[in-house]
């Protein structure tokens, strides 16, 4: 209502609209149908990392129709793109993700209901991330256009967040070098703009090769590749005791032979190493490599390894985080209808002791700084340009990421509403950044001080090329 009145006044004056006369959140609110439609379409497709051809294409189409210039296939990744609208002024980037997770499917039902011939699901809500960021970018563009504010809004289509580190290749290619501030958000079971860090990580596959033989008839002629894997795991498990706090090491055996009566000539173990300090990850890694070499030596096998992905930790920017917190409070949380509440109660019923009050969906968590134990490729972006994000209650309170309950809500009106909250908060934040040079300067000063003057970007995945077929 207020917007309409101000708009009428501005029209009477026949002068260019000032930045205050239009509300970027209202522009985003007018796009709610788009948020729902695109979120639902990405959820249905549930495409895996670096294979998100249709999802990336849909986002590009929507942006192109809105007048954005698209550069597709950036950083040698076919499903990565940068869309830009505007001229001159500051450059504000909004990140969008759209990759799904393998091996988890679920309908939008509040009870466990895997989908028969589907092999992936949006268990991290990246369909919402993509759709919400799209709406935020278009709302900001319309606000820039109507207010005549100089500046460029960009949407970065960033593939393969889950284990593919898409943004790391995009950062390494220098795509964020001329960006003033980057904005992101993520699906969650609560609303918060708390400045939460993440862990640096690196993953790698260690491949052991031995000699096959009849396990009973000619065991002396065999050399078991699985022995190599097990010896390595034993040494790494002993190594845990002698690492610093906040070290996280986990592995799965991705190949360990097919039959007990055949000595396996190939075995593979997939490791993750994490720490809040990237240098600590770099220091731990050679110890893993030494364990692999020792295991191969002792078991008469051979070993080689490949780094699969690696992310730097998130560099928090408190100046931006406090402003984002204020924008989130301005928008408010996710308000359930009676029908949505009943649906949420059924989901909450599957959590047992881990259930959280459903009111968390509508409330905004207190602002704080904390250490998060996940990892994200947004981390690398945050060392290239001041970066800030938020999380919204797209999932029923108590929901863990990567669960069937997260898939269900990501394909439900509750998820769409959470994405809409994020879109409105991000649009408000973008508009604030375009019109507030003091805020941009303060954020930049904090960023430069935190990075240090002699900072040089080093990726944790080295010089490898994007693993475009890692989900095939
Ligand atoms: Zn995830
Ligand atoms: Zn995620």
């Amino acid at each position: 209502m207020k917007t309409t009145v101000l708009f009428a006044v501005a029209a009477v004056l026949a002068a260019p609209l000032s930045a205050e006369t239009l509300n970027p959140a209202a522009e985003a609110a007018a796009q709610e149908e788009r948020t729902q439609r695109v979120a639902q379409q990405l959820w249905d497709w549930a495409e895996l990392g670096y294979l998100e051809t249709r999802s990336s294409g849909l986002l590009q189409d929507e942006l192109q129709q809105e007048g954005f210039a698209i550069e597709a296939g950036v950083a040698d990744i076919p499903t990565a793109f940068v869309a830009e609208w505007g001229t001159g002024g500051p450059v504000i980037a909004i990140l969008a993700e759209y990759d799904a997770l393998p091996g988890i499917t679920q309908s939008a039902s509040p009870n466990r209901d895997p989908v028969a011939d589907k092999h992936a699901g949006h268990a991290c809500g990246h369909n919402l991330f993509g759709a919400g960021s799209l709406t935020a970018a278009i709302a900001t563009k319309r606000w820039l256009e109507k207010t005549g504010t100089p500046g460029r809004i960009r949407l970065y289509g960033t593939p393969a967040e889950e284990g593919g580190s898409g943004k790391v290749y995009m950062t390494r290619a220098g795509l964020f070098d001329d960006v003033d501030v980057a904005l992101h958000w993520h699906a969650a079971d609560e609303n918060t703009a708390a400045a939460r860090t993440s862990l640096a990580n690196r993953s790698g596959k260690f491949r052991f090769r031995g000699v096959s033989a009849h396990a009973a008839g000619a065991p002396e002629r065999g050399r078991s590749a699985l022995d190599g894997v097990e010896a390595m795991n034993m040494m790494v498990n002993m190594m845990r005791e002698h690492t610093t706090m906040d070290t996280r090491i986990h592995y799965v055996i991705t190949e360990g032979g097919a039959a007990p009566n055949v000595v396996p000539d190939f075995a593979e173990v997939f490791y993750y190493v994490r720490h809040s300090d990237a240098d600590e990850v770099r220091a731990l890694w050679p110890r893993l490599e030494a364990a692999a070499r020792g295991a191969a030596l002792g078991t008469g096998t051979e070993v080689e390894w490949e780094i699969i992905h690696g992310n730097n930790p998130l560099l928090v920017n408190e100046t931006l985080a406090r402003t984002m917190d204020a924008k989130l409070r301005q928008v408010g949380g996710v308000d359930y209808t009676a029908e949505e509440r009943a649906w949420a109660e059924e989901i909450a019923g599957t959590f047992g002791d881990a259930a959280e009050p459903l009111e968390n969906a509508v409330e905004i968590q207190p602002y704080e700084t904390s250490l998060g134990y996940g990892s994200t490729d947004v981390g690398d972006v945050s060392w290239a340009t001041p970066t800030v994000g938020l999380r919204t209650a797209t999932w029923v309170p108590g929901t863990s990421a990567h669960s069937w309950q997260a898939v269900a809500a990501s394909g439900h009106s509750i998820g769409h509403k959470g994405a809409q909250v994020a879109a409105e908060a991000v649009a408000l934040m973008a508009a604030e950044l375009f019109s507030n040079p003091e805020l941009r300067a303060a954020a930049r000063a904090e960023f430069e001080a935190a990075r240090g003057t002699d900072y040089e970007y080093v990726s944790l995945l080295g010089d490898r090329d994007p693993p475009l077929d890692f989900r095939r």
Side-chain angles (χ1 to χ4, degrees):
M1 195 61 195
K2 198 172 155 200
T3 310
T4 319
V5 172
L6 288 168
F7 189 82
V9 170
V12 168
L13 295 174
L17 299 169
S18 76
E20 292 73 36
T21 55
L22 281 162
N23 179 354
E27 289 291 340
Q31 306 289 315
E32 188 156 8
E33 179 279 331
R34 187 196 305 268
T35 310
Q36 293 164 359
R37 174 173 51 81
V38 172
Q40 201 53 39
Q41 183 61 76
L42 301 189
W43 187 85
D44 285 339
W45 285 333
E47 294 178 294
L48 293 172
Y50 294 127
L51 307 173
E52 319 96 324
T53 313
R54 286 184 292 178
S55 305
S56 172
L58 174 60
L59 296 177
Q60 290 178 46
D61 286 348
E62 298 279 326
L63 290 157
Q64 201 149 28
Q65 281 165 28
E66 202 52 39
F68 280 73
I70 316 273
E71 199 189 335
V74 294
D76 295 326
I77 302 171
T79 53
F81 68 91
V82 180
E84 181 182 284
W85 188 92
T87 48
V91 177
I92 305 300
I94 300 174
L95 310 180
E97 294 177 3
Y98 31 81
D99 61 318
L101 279 153
I104 184 162
T105 72
Q106 165 70 24
S107 73
S109 152
N111 303 297
R112 183 70 176 119
D113 180 30
V115 184
D117 42 332
K118 212 170 169 181
H119 305 287
H122 272 292
C124 212
H126 294 180
N127 63 314
L128 305 172
F129 193 162
S133 291
L134 172 72
T135 290
I138 290 175
T140 307
K141 173 256 172 178
R142 291 190 179 183
W143 176 87
L144 281 173
E145 193 171 33
K146 289 179 183 173
T147 57
T149 308
R152 285 167 285 164
I153 181 72
R154 283 192 197 151
L155 185 99
Y156 282 70
T158 67
E161 192 282 325
E162 299 285 358
S165 290
K167 293 178 201 69
V168 179
Y169 299 99
M170 296 175 79
T171 304
R172 207 177 66 179
L175 294 174
F176 294 97
D177 289 354
D178 67 341
V179 171
D180 286 87
V181 172
L183 308 176
H184 68 103
W185 73 281
H186 201 281
D189 70 335
E190 59 180 15
N191 306 293
T192 174
R196 196 168 69 155
T197 61
S198 67
L199 299 183
N201 72 353
R202 177 183 280 173
S203 74
K205 290 183 171 175
F206 292 82
R207 300 181 178 117
F208 287 82
R209 286 186 168 77
V211 180
S212 281
H214 193 295
E220 73 284 358
R221 288 170 57 188
R223 295 291 181 271
S224 169
L226 181 60
D227 286 354
V229 165
E230 289 193 275
M232 174 179 178
N233 292 349
M234 190 191 70
M235 282 186 269
V236 174
N237 286 333
M238 293 176 126
M239 180 185 128
R240 287 177 199 278
E241 188 186 349
H242 311 289
T243 59
T244 56
M245 291 292 283
D246 287 337
T247 300
R248 294 282 189 280
I249 304 176
H250 18 271
Y251 61 82
V252 289
I253 298 177
T254 41
E255 218 167 313
N261 60 349
V262 179
V263 174
D265 66 353
F266 181 76
E268 182 184 80
V269 58
F270 189 3
Y271 266 94
Y272 270 51
V273 176
R274 310 193 204 222
H275 198 282
S276 50
D277 182 350
D279 284 338
E280 199 62 31
V281 170
R282 273 188 270 272
L284 287 161
W285 195 260
R287 297 172 68 189
L288 242 69
E289 294 179 338
R293 272 191 222 100
L297 188 65
T299 57
T301 58
E302 283 171 6
V303 66
E304 55 174 13
W305 51 87
E306 179 188 6
I307 290 175
I308 300 297
H309 88 311
N311 300 315
N312 275 289
L314 265 174
L315 182 61
V316 157
N317 193 295
E318 287 237 39
T319 307
L320 293 174
R322 286 182 190 282
T323 313
M324 185 65 105
D325 180 68
K327 301 303 178 193
L328 173 59
R329 283 173 205 285
Q330 195 178 329
V331 174
V334 176
D335 218 347
Y336 293 160
T337 61
E339 212 175 316
E340 285 164 346
R341 195 176 168 90
W343 190 91
E345 272 166 4
E346 277 204 64
I347 288 266
T350 67
F351 296 145
D353 292 348
E356 302 264 352
L358 292 185
E359 285 62 41
N360 281 7
V362 76
E363 284 162 10
I364 313 292
Q365 296 301 308
Y367 179 84
E368 58 175 8
T369 54
S370 63
L371 178 65
Y373 284 85
S375 302
T376 169
D377 60 5
V378 177
D380 285 56
V381 177
S382 75
W383 291 87
T385 187
T387 299
V388 68
L390 77 158
R391 293 182 291 135
T392 64
T394 58
W395 303 327
V396 174
T399 301
S400 155
H402 298 195
S403 64
W404 68 260
Q405 292 92 339
V407 184
S410 296
H412 188 268
S413 60
I414 285 177
H416 301 162
K417 280 184 169 179
Q420 187 60 32
V421 165
E424 293 176 23
V426 169
L428 280 173
M429 185 70 189
E432 178 75 47
L433 286 161
F434 278 118
S435 36
N436 189 341
E438 292 81 16
L439 176 63
R440 293 198 305 271
R444 176 63 59 174
E446 182 186 332
F447 170 75
E448 297 292 359
R451 278 202 322 183
T453 42
D454 55 350
Y455 176 77
E456 203 183 317
Y457 172 72
V458 185
S459 141
L460 275 155
L461 48 72
D463 60 357
R464 68 155 302 147
D465 292 330
L468 298 178
D469 58 354
F470 88 121
R471 292 289 198 212
R472 278 194 198 278

